Amino acid sequence: MAGSGDEALYSRQLYVLGGGARRLAGAAVLVSGLRGPGAQAAAALVLAGTGRVVLHDRGAASTADRAHQFLLGESDVGRNRAEASQQALAELNPGVVVTAHTGELSEAFLASFQVVVLTEAPLEEQLRVGDFCHAQGICFIVADAKGLAGQLFCDFGERFVVDDPAEGDPVCAAVQHISQGNPGVVTYTRTEDSHGHLFCNGDLVTFSGVEGMAELNGQEPVPVRVLDASRLEIGDTSSFSPYLRGGLVSQVRLPQVHSYEPLRWALAKPKIRVATPEELPRSRSLHAAFQALHAFCGEQGRLPRPRAPADAERVLELAQSLGVQQDPLDEDVVRAFASVSAGDLCPVAAIVGALAAQEVLKAITGKFLPLDQWLYFDALECLAVEGAAQLTEEDCAPRGSRYDGQIAVFGAAFQEQLGCQKYLVVGAGAIGCELLKNFAMMGLAAGPGGDLTVTDMDTVALSNLHRQLLYRSVDISKPKSVVAAAAVRRMNPNVRVTAHQNEVGPATEPLYGDNFFRRLDGVASALDTLEARAYLESRCHRCLTPLLDSGTEGPRGNVLAMVPPVTKPLGPAGTPEDGTFPLCTLRYFPTTIQHTLQWARDEFEGLFQLPAEHINRFMEDPAFLEQLPAKKALEVLEQVLGSLWERPQDWEDCVRWARRHWQSRYHDAIAQLLHTLPPEHEASPGVPFWAGNRSCPHPLTFNPDNDTHLEYILAAARLFAQAHKVPPCNDRAATQTILRSVVLPPFEPREGLQIPLTDEQEAQAPVDHRRLAELTQDLVQRRQELAGSEEVQVPLMEPIHFEKDNNIHMDFITAASNLRAENYGIPPADWLTSKRIAGRIVPAIITTTAAVAGLACLEVYKLVWGCQDISYYRNSNLCLSDCLLLRIQPLPPPTYRYGGREWSCWDRLELRAVGADGQEMTVQEVLDWLQRTYGWTVTMLLHDHTVLYNSEEDEETRAQQRAQRLSENLKDAGEPPRQELELLYVCEGEDAEDEDTCPPLLCSLP
């Protein structure tokens, strides 16, 4: 059955949070403090579908708030921040109740919430609210951002139940064999999309459907020890019956109970989450620094002045006096933190707010382990970049600008430089929206000469709305880039943003050529395919354009910085999975739900798309079958004739067709397979055929009262009706009545049928030319009959292409796959899981995308400074399910030797290819230039695959080649005129096999 409207909206999020996500609609959350982190957290919770979100703030919005609080408009300055933010948040998701509270946080008020989040709160307020929440069992979160650092704290009470601590659903695998022994060894079949080990040491598992060693079925969960990627050790099986066949091994995740200390206790003895042990001393220093900052504010009534050495020293003194430090205090970290703690940066707010929102979702859903208990984050390396390190108090003093929070960190001159940036954002999906929001807040391209281009070919869809911040329901079906650009202008009218609806690829190189990329200061990639990402990386590599590449999958995300000539190029991200499986596996020997779902996809195409396309084409051009190979022609003929002879006149005909097809697929085909290869069949003497990767199937018996059987009939009949242009019917009872009247002939097996056991045998199977001729004659006759009929509509049928967001399509895929799975004893998949696998959907959630975009924008700051020191750049890996953030220095570019010297992968030779006559250089002039400049004697010169010069040719050919202008050969090959050519070459003494490891020669043509 298709998912509800909420499932259609939140489907990508449901894949991350699981069934616990359905608790969100009944939850109430308080977010106190509506500056940067609070606004980000609140927005994420509203988009995620939290039932009630209450905003609390007692302060008025200022002009400077608008550089990090994206919910505020210019007219909101002077209004209460919570009240000013309420309407914008409510518009994000009409299904969420968003209200504002401007009074005190009394205990009576706090008692109504399941989760309380405090941002920007004084320590005394944190302690008071934290004590109350701990006593009442209310989950309590503190989130704070100061300058380039962030702090997160969680207290979920003394007895918090985590229903499911791990990502994804519990795994289930088909058993291949179980040994008798102590311990017994289970061999299982891996799923097609699994990486590494399915199970971990200590996992609890249960067994079901095991034949032979039936003692395992229904036992209490037992722990396992992993031997390798397909074998587990379990307990003593030596006294059990011998294993025969079949069965499933299923992971069991039991709820876990966790206990947390209240804030008052956790301050003194902090448990800090770090990605590596080396980070712990730095995090402990930040723990002391945040406490010292609270003390400074209590003492001075203000935050430290930006870049004021005396204030920074005072914070350091206070940190030293706290006496809570377990490690030596890192004084440089405390000073750097204090010197910019008055600053407000949108990227830092985005990271901290997103992390806080994810902890709220954990509190509500019981999915993933909550933070235990502190997390510190900083990007203080930004302050050591050349230019930033020399800033003074005067440089960072407030100007009365919306960017004062950013100026407090990086200075006024830097802000002007930000406004002049030229950037390209490729992709306006979830990450793209967050990047554009951050850019608007930062003022990127908001000054003279600035330019921000965003391009995306897609349009807004319903499933985008829960995680793509810039879109609303009224934007559905509108171009994403156009809507996103308009949203950027509303957030910051000064940003010079242009929307394109183009793919960045080979077809659009006339638009996005070398000159376009070279004028850019940077490219931000938010692409969702490896092919598109690889192409963009190659363009940036060629044009020496910095690239920030971001990606997410569920709670995981990463940011990679490619900075010419400082860092290593991104390189290949891995081979994309094409989702193909051996044909014989799908037809006869499926072992996983991925197999049955792909089989169902093929069924859909073979029933509702291809026959219609082939029939329509045959009616137009009967000769098209003659152009096909005999085997393909026979397959097409059987599809076409089947559809023509089964042409329905009404809904009842469609139901009867669906019933016959059900019988053919789930009973007769399986009965025939077992007749040819019975359960006791042996592959060789003493070796069972149905063993290992072959699960013995069983036929199904149709039951109109079985929900899965009926769902299949309804979906198949509706699609068949649509393809044949017959009005459908939604009456389940009437359909069941029709089904009960259907009487089918008993199955009669065919004798001597050969079952191909491999794809090679399938390909070598002989073609029945006699049947091909008979079917061709039948089809010609049928076409003449149809062509002479006045009632026939043209085109005859409507091809139906699978759409993952069409519920009827997914109803068919889910039912067809689960029936096939039942044939083979494979665990079924629910509707949403089937949609994810069949639709190849990547799980996604707003918290991850917001955090990843924030991390990417921190690298933008370094690019704007023109940083050429690799030690200041960071690649980031994020895992919100474990609350882990790892930021590491990128790798340096690889080098190689060529022509007697060392080169970087970024090096290239540049030549203004204008000859002595003022015209384009000849090949000879280029060869002379390389000899004169580098002392190289070139034996071969190439452009792509076109050879411009080859010393091994005869003298006459070599003379012709040397005399030609550089682009003459390219014109002969039909290539368009170019302003620049990239040439490769081979020199004497160098290996011709390695021509791609020489520095390319870039020739600028006149």
Side-chain angles (χ1 to χ4, degrees), residues 752-947:
L753 186 67
Q754 295 295 314
I755 303 291
L757 303 183
T758 65
D759 284 4
E760 290 73 18
Q761 291 181 14
E762 175 87 20
Q764 294 168 5
V767 177
D768 188 340
H769 289 279
R770 179 178 177 182
R771 177 165 172 75
L772 178 61
E774 291 173 354
L775 291 179
T776 302
Q777 186 175 351
D778 287 349
L779 187 57
V780 170
Q781 180 181 347
R782 184 68 175 143
R783 179 183 181 276
Q784 292 171 348
E785 294 171 2
L786 290 169
S789 172
E790 296 180 358
E791 299 177 0
V792 172
Q793 302 177 14
V794 178
L796 198 62
M797 292 180 65
E798 177 188 337
I800 305 173
H801 294 264
F802 172 69
E803 292 285 347
K804 64 179 180 291
D805 291 321
N806 185 301
N807 287 349
I808 297 174
H809 295 192
M810 277 313 308
D811 287 347
F812 175 84
I813 295 291
T814 303
S817 169
N818 284 341
L819 289 166
R820 179 79 165 169
E822 187 180 351
N823 278 139
Y824 283 88
I826 298 168
D830 61 28
W831 193 88
L832 272 173
T833 303
S834 299
K835 179 176 178 177
R836 175 179 63 79
I837 298 171
R840 294 164 192 153
I841 295 171
V842 177
I845 192 166
I846 177 62
T847 49
T848 314
T849 53
V852 160
L855 291 165
C857 289
L858 290 174
E859 303 310 302
V860 171
Y861 287 137
K862 301 163 192 177
L863 291 173
V864 175
W865 279 115
C867 177
Q868 292 293 297
D869 188 332
I870 194 172
S871 66
Y872 299 132
Y873 286 101
R874 297 290 183 268
N875 288 339
S876 298
N877 288 285
L878 179 73
C879 181
L880 293 186
S881 58
D882 291 326
C883 209
L884 283 177
L885 172 58
L886 180 63
R887 301 176 71 234
I888 58 175
Q889 179 181 309
L891 293 174
T895 59
Y896 59 93
R897 292 195 65 79
Y898 189 87
R901 57 174 285 189
E902 188 170 78
W903 302 86
S904 159
C905 67
W906 294 107
D907 288 331
R908 66 273 321 280
L909 314 180
E910 296 186 2
L911 169 64
R912 187 169 181 272
V914 179
D917 58 359
Q919 302 297 309
E920 180 183 306
M921 275 187 175
T922 63
V923 168
Q924 180 66 61
E925 288 176 301
V926 173
L927 298 177
D928 291 344
W929 182 83
L930 287 168
Q931 174 70 54
R932 185 171 62 250
T933 308
Y934 295 98
W936 295 342
T937 300
V938 174
T939 59
M940 185 175 290
L941 189 67
L942 308 98
H943 171 71
D944 290 337
H945 299 293
T946 302
V947 177

Side-chain angles (χ1 to χ4, degrees), residues 325-498:
Q325 194 67 16
Q326 295 172 309
D327 296 302
L329 194 67
D330 190 326
E331 296 184 359
D332 291 338
V333 166
V334 177
R335 286 193 190 95
F337 165 78
S339 70
V340 295
S341 58
D344 292 302
L345 299 178
C346 179
V348 177
I351 296 164
V352 174
L355 292 173
Q358 184 64 55
E359 296 305 306
V360 174
L361 297 178
K362 293 177 185 179
I364 297 169
T365 65
K367 178 72 172 177
F368 306 137
L369 289 174
L371 171 64
D372 187 21
Q373 287 189 263
W374 293 94
L375 178 75
Y376 286 92
F377 156 81
D378 79 88
L380 293 171
E381 74 278 356
C382 293
L383 300 181
V385 172
E386 185 177 353
Q390 292 77 38
L391 292 173
T392 66
E393 187 174 350
E394 182 181 349
D395 294 328
C396 300
R399 265 68 172 171
S401 156
R402 71 178 288 169
Y403 305 116
D404 276 354
Q406 199 159 249
I407 290 171
V409 180
F410 295 120
F414 176 86
Q415 189 60 50
E416 292 181 9
Q417 190 64 26
L418 257 176
C420 301
Q421 296 294 295
K422 296 178 175 63
Y423 261 73
L424 169 67
V425 176
V426 186
I431 297 175
C433 282
E434 293 293 329
L435 287 169
L436 291 167
K437 175 261 290 179
N438 291 346
F439 287 167
M441 296 294 97
M442 293 160 61
L444 187 88
D451 180 42
L452 177 60
T453 301
V454 54
T455 186
D456 196 305
M457 299 172 64
D458 207 357
T459 56
V460 179
L462 175 64
S463 62
N464 300 150
L465 301 184
H466 82 278
R467 69 191 190 283
Q468 300 186 9
L469 178 76
L470 304 182
Y471 308 132
R472 309 292 182 267
S473 56
V474 296
D475 299 320
I476 289 175
S477 298
K478 295 179 182 177
K480 283 186 174 181
S481 60
V482 174
V483 177
V488 167
R489 293 187 198 99
R490 286 194 300 272
M491 290 180 176
N492 189 341
N494 293 324
V495 175
R496 301 159 197 266
V497 58
T498 305

